[in-house]
Amino acid sequence: IHYDRIGKDGFFSHKEITVLYVPDLSDCLPSLDEWRDQWLAHKKAVAERERQISLKKEKSRAIKESNGQ
């Protein structure tokens, strides 16, 4: 991008050049199949974690009920 800069006197002072570098991100992204596999693995991990938490809650509830009776 080229900019003509104006000096304090109102006349052309100098030309300023700005260079923008845009990286190629295509190599940073997984393929659609890899992304789908990663997403499904993540969903499985979250579901398993939630299942483990609910099992722990059920166990602690059962222990409290057996101790209270």
Side-chain angles (χ1 to χ4, degrees):
I1 303 172
H2 295 256
Y3 298 98
D4 290 334
R5 294 297 183 194
I6 306 298
K8 291 182 181 182
D9 57 3
F11 294 107
F12 173 75
S13 169
H14 64 282
K15 184 176 289 254
E16 190 173 294
I17 301 172
T18 302
V19 179
L20 300 176
Y21 292 98
V22 180
D24 179 14
L25 298 177
S26 62
D27 292 335
C28 298
L29 299 173
S31 70
L32 187 58
D33 291 334
E34 290 173 340
W35 182 87
R36 188 178 299 120
D37 292 342
Q38 290 175 5
W39 176 246
L40 290 174
H42 171 72
K43 283 175 60 174
K44 272 183 169 180
V46 169
E48 180 63 23
R49 195 174 320 126
E50 289 175 355
R51 189 178 75 78
Q52 292 293 331
I53 290 171
S54 67
L55 284 174
K56 286 180 183 179
K57 285 181 181 178
E58 286 178 21
K59 285 181 182 178
S60 66
R61 191 176 307 131
I63 291 171
K64 285 180 183 177
E65 288 176 0
S66 66
N67 289 339
Q69 291 180 356

